[in-house]
């Protein structure tokens, strides 16, 4: 039985897609990996290392290692700048022992106008998430240059190594994070916690404090979620002079002399306050991939109540990573392992049903 | 599996729900499973249908403790003890799924055990239905909670309010400092709980006072964070969260397998290179209680571990110990982060009898490197005081005379007066990758740079650093992974220690200790790599004296 007769198509080359590809290819399953962008890595590639001296286990550095391995792996065929355009289920090949699997997918990929058709036994969807567009919130995003998202902040620090106001490249003396922007928000139709933003904001704060010791950082939050592990949180690196205010600000406006003024209710003082900031960072939530609707019609899969894609294990379509819901890098890698196992279980099941019958005879 | 080659049995140590579900998944994949539990069959209700499991290819051995382990991934020999009798079983993979111990956090809240105080995991529907009055759930109040506990508290409190007996009034309260909703469906469940009448209080400003008056009476006083109103209740039932810690048997297992622990005492470290469920030892996986989806991920890791290609690892060249030079000090054995060094007299088979007699080693325990367990970090090599360990690994071979091609493509310098010669030892996992990223981003790097790639910073010996100085370096920089991110666990720390010793020698010889430095980074820090190197160049350029006596030699050798 030639192992590479089995092929799995993985759509999406972020941390989940890369992990699933490696898991399967290391087991000699043939893998085709299609990525829409011109390079592999997805969102996690833009994340900055948040260690001060001690690793904070965010997993961002894993992406480059995996990209290296995937590109060098003889069993993984990579398609960059490639979109998934069609998926059709084909009837079976001749059943001959022990290869009892009788169905497969004919998948059409498109790159710069050119189409490729692949045959694959199973499909793993790993297209990742989209971020909430904070234009809908009264924070002046899109209007005020110094109101940015947490991802933009990561990009700035990662690329320049410095923290500066986007408007005039000036120093930042006072900054604020607003958590849960578009998350835990039934009004927006997002009644879920995006899981990763609390840890991200806390770690970024510690990193920024190390870069600029005199900076004043405030975090506006609802609840602080645990970074990573479900057990006792690892907060020892959080600077003690970090202001944590359990309140979500009402709005932001510009003052006469071009400062950002934020209004919020201070629960300790019990009154509404206005405060000036140089930079405001919105921790935007992880929402369903904006192409979830298209994907669901191409692959014939459903969306769940929140709009995230649902797997169809009976039909050989599995999910890895944030395409199914918010999760951090460690969980994405785990879910890739889960999807790889499910795919293998799926195209091996006919074989094992037969083996099982043999055993009980 | 028909299309995936697998060899060897999988041994699962544990007998809980997770262990049995995993056993099922693995045997369904055609893997023979050996389930070992220290419990008797009567303690494990799930083991009752043993005969059924046997048919499926799962062998269950109860009343068995693991007391020893030798070998390496793909070829482990487990010593099992049962009622004083010892047996040895051969397996390819070991999965530790021993259950956690739970203790209600009574000491944390200053409480004594009482009839109306129960741990969260003991809360069940029967209690919920029978109980009336005020039920308080305490989760993550004085320390951090977690989503699993909150889910339990929310589900139970909703159940209580929806199922109270007629004529009996019930109220359910949840007291916490942060609502841990970072899990599927919890935010919606919280909304549902509030709708059902569950009262949730979050505390930041002040903490509730929980007082036990007599053996069965508990009163709770608190000030609402938001409204500042005072409340006092009599708690008819107090449900508190639990501390989780490893069972003493787990401590034994950790010692037997030579595993490293995380902060909570469990054998899976949070080290990113150990995702998912791996330990520092190849062929040994570990996890706690898992959800079904996670069990599949663990099953995949198990399959990967039993795949022959994975067993033999990435390279075939391994360091080996020369028995003629080995002083049997066991330094390598103690330092190996992967338990890849075995004390063995069996493996002397390769030596001829004359040599054995000559060296009197026929019956002694010699350290031998297990080829499949070794990950080629090179720590043993540089630690060996007798220089008895050799390797054909190109990286270790060329450690002190390699020049990295990838860094020769440097951008031109701008406006610097002096360009001291810098030798940078780069850990292959982090620093080399960061360096490549820096080049890809067009970062400015020091002009006279010599990069020495090493598999792990722990493989850098003191003699390597001295040699670098002897070969023109004005400054030597050691780049390691961040603490807690080293694939060899403590390779970075070993490197720092050795560096400290060399620093002393430098000082005593009249050189500035600033000529030797270390920094840690991660593989995605392109800008960081450049920043560290440029800062170091500046430091070295500013040092006096400038090693004048060697200036003539250097002028001859320096390329123009």
């Amino acid at each position: 039985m030639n192992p590479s007769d089995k092929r799995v198509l993985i759509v999406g080359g972020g941390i989940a897609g890369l992990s699933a590809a490696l898991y399967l290819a290391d087991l000699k399953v043939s893998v085709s990996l299609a990525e829409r962008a011109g390079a592999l890595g997805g969102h996690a590639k833009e994340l900055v290392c948040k260690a001060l001296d001690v690793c904070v286990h965010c997993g961002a550095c894993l992406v480059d290692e995996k990209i290296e391995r995937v590109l060098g792996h003889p069993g993984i065929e990579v398609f960059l700048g490639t979109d998934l355009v069609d998926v059709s289920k084909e009837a079976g090949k001749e059943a001959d022992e022990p290869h009892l699997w009788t169905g497969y997918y004919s998948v059409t990929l498109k790159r710069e106008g050119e189409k490729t058709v692949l045959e694959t036994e199973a499909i793993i969807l790993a297209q990742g998430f989209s971020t909430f567009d904070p234009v809908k919130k009264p924070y002046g995003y899109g209007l005020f240059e110094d109101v940015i998202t947490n991802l933009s902040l990561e990009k700035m620090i990662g690329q320049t190594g410095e923290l500066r106001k986007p408007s005039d490249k000036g120093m930042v003396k006072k900054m604020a994070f607003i958590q849960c922007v578009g998350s835990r928000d039934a009004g927006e139709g997002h009644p879920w916690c995006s899981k990763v933003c609390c840890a991200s904001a806390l770690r970024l704060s510690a990193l920024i404090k190390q870069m600029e010791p005199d900076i004043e950082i405030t975090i506006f939050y609802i609840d602080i979620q645990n970074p990573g592990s479900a057990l006792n949180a690892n907060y020892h690196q959080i600077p003690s002079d970090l202001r944590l205010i359990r309140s979500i600000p009402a709005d932001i406006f510009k003052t006469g002399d071009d400062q950002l003024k934020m209004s919020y209710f201070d629960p300790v003082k019990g009154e509404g306050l206005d405060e000036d900031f140089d930079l405001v960072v919105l921790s935007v939530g992880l929402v369903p991939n904006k192409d979830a609707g298209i994907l669901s019609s191409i692959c014939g899969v459903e969306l769940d109540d929140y709009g995230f894609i649902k797997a169809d294990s009976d039909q050989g379509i599995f999910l890895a990573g944030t395409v199914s819901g918010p999760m951090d890098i460690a969980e994405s890698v785990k879910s890739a392992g889960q999807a790889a196992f499910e795919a293998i279980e799926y195209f091996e099941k006919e074989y094992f049903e037969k083996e099982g019958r043999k055993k009980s005879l | 599996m028909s299309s995936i080659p697998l060899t060897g049995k999988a041994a699962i140590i544990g007998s809980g729900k997770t262990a049995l579900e995993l056993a099922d998944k693995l045997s369904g994949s055609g893997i023979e499973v050996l389930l070992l539990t220290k419990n008797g069959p009567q303690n494990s209700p799930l083991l009752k249908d043993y005969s059924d499991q046997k048919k499926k290819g799962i062998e269950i051995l109860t009343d068995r403790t693991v007391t020893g382990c030798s070998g390496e991934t793909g070829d482990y020999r487990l010593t099992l003890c049962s009622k004083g009798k010892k047996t040895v079983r051969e397996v390819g993979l070991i999965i530790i799924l021993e259950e956690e111990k739970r203790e209600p956090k009574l000491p944390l809240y200053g409480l004594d055990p009482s009839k109306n105080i129960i741990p969260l995991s003991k809360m069940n529907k029967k209690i919920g239905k029978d109980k009336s009055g005020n039920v308080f759930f305490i989760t993550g109040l004085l320390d951090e909670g977690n989503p699993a506990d909150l889910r339990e508290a929310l589900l139970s409190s909703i159940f209580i309010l929806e199922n109270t007996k007629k004529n009996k009034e019930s109220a359910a309260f949840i007291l916490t400092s942060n609502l841990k909703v970072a899990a599927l469906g919890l935010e919606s469940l919280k909304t549902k709980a509030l709708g059902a009448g569950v009262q949730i209080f979050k505390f930041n400003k002040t903490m509730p006072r929980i007082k036990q008056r007599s053996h069965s009476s508990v009163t709770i006083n608190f000030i609402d964070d938001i409204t500042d109103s005072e409340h006092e209740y009599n708690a008819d039932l107090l449900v508190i969260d639990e501390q989780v810690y490893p069972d003493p048997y787990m401590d034994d297992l950790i010692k037997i397998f030579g595993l490293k622990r995380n902060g909570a005492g469990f054998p899976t470290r949070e080290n990113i290179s150990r995702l998912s469920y791996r330990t520092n030892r190849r062929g040994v996986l570990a996890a706690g209680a898992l959800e079904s989806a996670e069990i599949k991920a663990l099953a995949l890791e198990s399959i990967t571990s039993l795949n022959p290609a994975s067993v033999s690892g990435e390279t075939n060249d391994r360091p080996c110990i020369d028995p003629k030079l080995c002083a049997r000090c066991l330094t390598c054995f103690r330092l190996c982060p992967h338990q890849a060094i075995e004390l063995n007299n069996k493996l002397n088979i390769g030596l001829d009898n004359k040599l054995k007699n000559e060296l009197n080693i026929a019956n002694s325990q010699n350290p031998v490197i297990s080829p499949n367990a070794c990950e080629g970090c090179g720590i043993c090599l540089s630690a060996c005081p007798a220089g008895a360990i050799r390797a054909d690994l190109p990286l270790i071979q060329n450690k002190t005379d390699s020049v990295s091609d990838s860094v020769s493509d440097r951008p031109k310098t701008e406006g610097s007066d002096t360009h001291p010669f810098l030798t940078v030892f780069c850990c292959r996992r982090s620093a080399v990758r960061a360096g490549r990223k820096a080049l890809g981003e067009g970062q400015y790097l020091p002009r006279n740079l010599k990069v020495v790639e090493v598999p792990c910073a722990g493989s850098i010996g003191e003699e390597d650093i001295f040699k670098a100085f002897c070969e023109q370096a004005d400054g030597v920089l050691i780049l390691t992974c961040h603490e807690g991110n080293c694939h060899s666990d403590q390779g970075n720390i070993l490197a720092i220690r050795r560096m400290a010793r060399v620093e002393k020698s430098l000082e005593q010889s009249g050189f500035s200790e600033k000529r030797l430095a270390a920094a840690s980074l991660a593989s995605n820090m392109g800008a960081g790599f450049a920043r560290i190197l440029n800062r170091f160049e500046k430091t070295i350029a500013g040092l006096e004296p400038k090693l004048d006596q060697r200036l003539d030699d250097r002028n001859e050798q320096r390329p123009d």
Side-chain angles (χ1 to χ4, degrees):
Chain A
M1 177 74 252
N2 185 355
S4 48
D5 271 3
K6 303 290 187 209
R7 179 169 292 275
V8 176
L9 169 70
I10 299 176
V11 189
I15 185 76
L18 293 168
S19 302
L22 289 169
Y23 273 131
L24 288 168
D26 283 346
L27 290 171
K28 302 272 191 287
V29 175
S30 300
V31 174
S32 300
L33 177 63
E35 164 57 52
R36 163 179 293 177
L40 298 171
H43 279 107
K45 196 164 191 323
E46 309 276 282
L47 300 179
V48 73
C49 172
K50 299 183 191 58
L52 302 184
D53 295 313
V54 177
C55 176
V56 293
H57 312 297
C58 70
C61 55
L62 270 181
V63 186
D64 286 303
E65 281 181 46
K66 298 211 177 217
I67 293 175
E68 222 178 86
R69 277 205 67 210
V70 163
L71 292 175
H73 203 298
I76 304 176
E77 191 183 15
V78 178
F79 297 88
L80 294 176
T82 301
D83 272 298
L84 178 70
V85 291
D86 190 59
V87 166
S88 63
K89 188 133 192 176
E90 306 290 345
K93 304 177 180 153
E94 272 314 310
D96 65 273
E97 315 266 84
H99 183 200
L100 292 178
W101 170 237
T102 56
Y104 64 97
Y105 282 104
S106 180
V107 176
T108 311
L109 303 174
K110 193 160 105 173
R111 180 172 193 257
E112 289 173 346
E114 254 190 62
K115 290 190 179 170
T116 316
V117 178
L118 290 177
E119 284 179 6
T120 172
E121 265 73 26
I123 301 174
I124 294 179
L125 301 177
Q127 288 96 332
F129 60 91
S130 290
T131 47
F132 175 76
D133 185 356
V135 177
K136 311 178 195 182
K137 291 286 174 188
Y139 298 137
Y141 181 76
L143 222 56
F144 307 142
E145 274 180 278
D146 296 331
V147 175
I148 62 175
T149 64
N150 49 344
L151 287 175
S152 304
L153 178 65
E154 298 242 12
K155 250 195 190 145
M156 189 201 307
I157 295 177
Q159 286 173 1
T160 69
E162 288 180 330
L163 181 66
R164 292 284 181 269
K165 293 204 289 189
S167 58
D168 61 2
K169 304 287 181 271
M171 296 291 291
V172 177
K173 292 185 285 277
K174 272 188 75 174
M175 68 180 286
F177 283 87
I178 301 180
Q179 299 302 102
C180 307
V181 178
S183 307
R184 303 188 68 180
D185 197 340
E188 283 287 343
H190 299 164
W192 64 77
C193 167
S194 289
K195 287 178 167 184
V196 305
C197 342
C198 282
S200 179
L202 290 170
R203 290 165 178 160
L204 276 170
S205 298
L207 186 68
I208 290 169
K209 258 289 177 178
Q210 195 188 53
M211 284 161 57
E212 311 275 355
D214 295 326
I215 199 172
E216 221 189 278
I217 306 177
T218 307
I219 299 184
F220 292 93
Y221 74 103
I222 303 176
D223 292 291
I224 299 288
Q225 305 303 322
N226 292 349
S229 140
L231 296 175
N232 272 305
N234 188 13
Y235 289 151
H236 67 266
Q237 288 203 343
I238 294 162
S240 52
D241 51 353
L242 193 64
R243 272 173 86 206
L244 296 172
I245 299 183
R246 181 171 249 156
S247 169
I248 296 297
D251 68 35
I252 296 177
F253 52 95
K254 270 257 177 96
T255 61
D257 53 346
D258 247 13
Q259 275 284 86
L260 291 175
K261 212 180 237 331
M262 174 141 46
S263 301
Y264 65 93
F265 179 82
D266 187 325
V268 175
K269 297 194 180 131
E271 55 175 341
L273 296 174
D274 284 342
E275 198 172 329
D276 289 353
F277 291 96
D278 297 318
L279 180 72
V280 176
V281 180
L282 308 177
S283 289
V284 287
L286 274 58
V287 302
N289 191 303
K290 58 177 161 52
D291 293 324
I294 300 173
L295 261 178
S296 102
S297 61
I298 292 177
C299 301
V301 286
E302 290 173 8
L303 302 180
D304 69 11
D305 292 336
Y306 300 151
F308 290 97
I309 295 192
K310 276 163 76 166
D312 192 350
S313 21
D314 288 338
Q315 298 294 300
I317 301 182
F318 308 100
L319 307 176
T322 50
V323 73
S324 68
M327 57 180 77
D328 63 14
I329 288 174
E331 217 189 314
S332 295
V333 173
K334 261 190 214 153
S335 82
Q338 175 197 344
F341 183 78
E342 288 169 336
I344 292 172
E345 232 186 356
Y346 173 69
F347 60 62
E348 289 290 318
K349 69 171 184 285
E350 312 265 359
Y351 169 71
F352 282 106
E353 265 165 45
K354 223 179 151 254
E355 284 296 299
R357 268 180 267 134
K358 263 198 221 159
K359 276 198 181 132
S360 52
L361 285 174
Chain B
M1 303 207 147
S2 65
S3 54
I4 294 169
L6 299 170
T7 63
K9 276 197 180 137
I12 298 177
I13 305 176
S15 62
K17 193 163 154 288
T18 303
L20 288 160
E21 207 178 314
L22 178 70
D24 239 6
K25 285 262 176 294
L26 292 183
S27 81
S29 310
I31 297 169
E32 280 182 60
V33 175
L34 178 64
L35 193 109
L36 303 165
T37 172
K38 64 179 182 350
N39 298 329
Q42 66 283 359
N43 303 77
S44 321
L46 294 168
L47 294 179
K48 278 205 186 114
D49 31 42
Y50 172 48
S51 55
D52 210 25
Q53 312 287 9
K54 208 173 176 184
K55 214 180 346 160
K56 285 195 265 178
I58 304 173
E59 185 186 353
I60 299 180
L61 295 177
T62 55
D63 294 300
R64 295 294 197 286
T65 50
V66 175
T67 54
C69 171
S70 68
E72 53 173 358
T73 181
D75 186 25
Y76 279 119
R77 284 171 297 286
L78 288 177
T79 307
L80 308 176
C81 187
S82 171
K83 298 167 186 152
K85 245 180 73 180
K86 287 196 173 168
T87 49
V88 175
R89 295 298 297 265
E90 289 179 0
V91 296
L93 165 70
I94 296 155
I95 306 155
I96 302 175
L97 287 174
E98 267 301 315
E99 280 162 30
E100 310 147 333
K101 268 215 132 44
R102 295 179 161 260
E103 280 294 333
K105 291 180 188 171
L106 291 165
L108 180 64
Y109 303 119
L111 298 168
D112 291 321
S114 154
K115 245 191 322 197
N116 62 345
I117 302 180
I118 61 169
L120 192 52
S121 62
K122 295 278 193 288
M123 185 65 190
N124 56 45
K125 293 206 160 132
K126 185 174 179 308
I127 297 175
K129 250 198 176 141
D130 290 345
K131 206 67 192 181
S132 62
N134 296 328
V135 182
F136 277 84
F137 291 85
I138 314 271
T139 167
L141 182 61
L142 298 176
D143 61 357
E144 288 304 311
N146 64 75
D149 283 356
L150 180 66
R151 188 187 300 276
E152 207 37 68
L154 289 169
L155 288 171
S156 294
S157 53
I158 292 171
F159 183 84
I160 286 168
L161 294 180
E162 289 176 347
N163 290 278
T164 48
K165 292 180 182 165
K166 287 189 183 144
N167 306 320
K168 297 222 175 183
E169 292 241 341
S170 278
F173 301 81
I174 297 179
L175 307 184
T176 185
S177 49
N178 279 295
L179 275 174
K180 303 291 181 180
V181 290
L184 189 65
L186 275 186
E187 174 70 17
S188 297
L189 187 62
K190 179 211 79 176
T191 307
K192 184 177 175 203
L194 290 173
V198 177
Q199 295 175 66
I200 301 177
F201 291 95
K202 298 193 291 193
F203 296 94
N204 225 346
K205 299 201 278 200
T206 61
M207 283 295 146
R209 282 194 330 269
I210 306 171
K211 276 212 192 74
Q212 250 173 328
R213 296 198 182 281
S214 65
H215 232 277
S216 57
S217 163
V218 175
T219 51
I220 303 184
N221 275 87
F222 60 85
I223 300 173
D224 185 334
D225 246 39
I226 302 171
T227 64
D228 285 331
S229 55
E230 283 190 38
H231 299 256
E232 181 173 304
Y233 291 96
N234 194 46
D236 296 294
L237 179 66
L238 194 58
V239 186
I240 60 177
D241 51 359
E242 292 148 291
Q243 193 67 34
V244 168
Y245 57 94
D247 185 282
Y249 180 44
M250 179 69 95
D251 289 336
D252 294 336
L253 291 175
I254 287 172
K255 252 192 226 128
I256 289 165
F257 293 110
L259 304 177
K260 313 273 185 192
R261 292 173 195 266
N262 66 10
F266 292 94
T268 28
R269 290 205 125 186
E270 285 156 335
N271 193 322
I272 284 297
S273 51
R274 307 270 180 257
L275 289 176
S276 314
Y277 311 116
R278 296 183 192 173
T279 63
N280 57 299
R281 191 165 186 179
R282 295 181 74 208
V284 178
L285 304 173
L290 300 179
E291 304 284 332
S292 287
E294 294 170 304
I295 293 174
K296 287 181 185 173
L298 178 53
L300 199 289
E301 284 285 347
S302 307
I303 292 168
T304 299
S305 293
L306 286 172
N307 176 24
S310 148
V311 166
S312 58
E314 283 173 14
T315 72
N316 292 318
D317 306 310
R318 290 282 173 253
C320 60
I321 301 172
D322 187 338
K324 295 195 289 293
L325 296 174
C326 175
R328 291 197 292 289
C329 65
L330 302 186
T331 301
C332 56
F333 175 76
R334 276 190 294 262
L335 284 180
C336 177
H338 305 292
Q339 295 297 302
I341 299 188
E342 281 246 292
L343 297 181
N344 220 310
N345 41 22
K346 233 202 229 178
L347 289 166
N348 292 336
I349 288 167
L351 299 170
D352 65 46
N353 287 320
K354 182 164 176 281
L355 194 58
K356 277 191 210 169
N357 286 329
E358 230 178 274
L359 301 173
N360 198 24
I361 57 176
N363 296 315
S364 62
Q365 297 217 299
N366 276 317
V368 183
I369 297 176
S370 310
N372 292 335
C374 174
E375 303 214 20
C377 66
I379 285 177
C380 55
L381 207 127
S382 57
C384 177
I389 306 182
R390 302 284 146 81
D392 281 334
L393 290 170
L395 289 177
I396 297 178
Q397 187 93 301
N398 299 334
K399 232 191 313 175
T400 46
D401 42 38
S402 80
V403 177
S404 173
D405 293 329
S406 63
V407 198
S408 59
D409 218 352
R410 304 185 277 281
K412 290 209 83 181
T413 58
E414 286 168 18
S416 302
D417 283 337
T418 56
H419 303 291
F421 279 70
L422 305 176
T423 296
V424 184
F425 287 91
C426 286
C427 154
R428 178 177 43 168
R429 270 193 71 239
S430 55
V432 170
R433 290 197 174 111
R436 264 188 232 135
K437 191 167 186 196
L439 285 173
E441 290 171 357
Q443 302 275 359
Y444 165 66
L445 292 175
R447 185 164 148 198
N448 293 316
L449 192 64
K450 176 160 153 171
V451 168
V452 180
E453 279 190 30
V454 289
C456 172
S459 70
I460 302 167
E462 289 152 36
E463 70 282 0
D464 299 314
I465 302 173
F466 282 120
K467 194 165 180 199
F469 278 116
C470 290
E471 289 182 352
Q472 301 186 29
D474 295 312
V476 173
L477 181 64
I478 297 175
L479 294 181
T480 75
C481 294
H482 292 307
E483 195 183 318
N485 196 12
C486 177
H487 183 68
S488 318
D489 278 310
Q490 304 221 301
N492 42 13
I493 293 176
L494 282 172
I496 305 295
R497 276 197 216 144
R498 288 179 191 147
M499 189 192 79
R501 289 202 280 269
V502 176
E503 269 177 350
K504 257 198 174 152
S505 302
L506 282 181
E507 261 195 299
Q508 285 164 0
S509 315
F511 294 109
S512 166
E513 48 151 26
K514 291 210 183 98
R515 295 194 180 273
L516 176 60
S520 69
L521 40 56
S523 56
N524 59 351
M525 288 173 58
F529 180 88
R531 197 171 46 243
I532 292 168
L533 257 59
N534 291 323
R535 211 176 283 162
F536 187 61
E537 184 189 41
K538 253 204 177 132
T539 306
I540 300 297
L543 289 179
E544 299 288 342
K546 297 253 190 226
L547 306 175
D548 288 301
Q549 53 269 57
R550 284 173 32 196
L551 204 58
D552 292 336
D553 296 331
R554 249 198 296 169
N555 279 336
E556 277 175 56
Q557 291 169 40
R558 187 183 287 167
D560 278 323

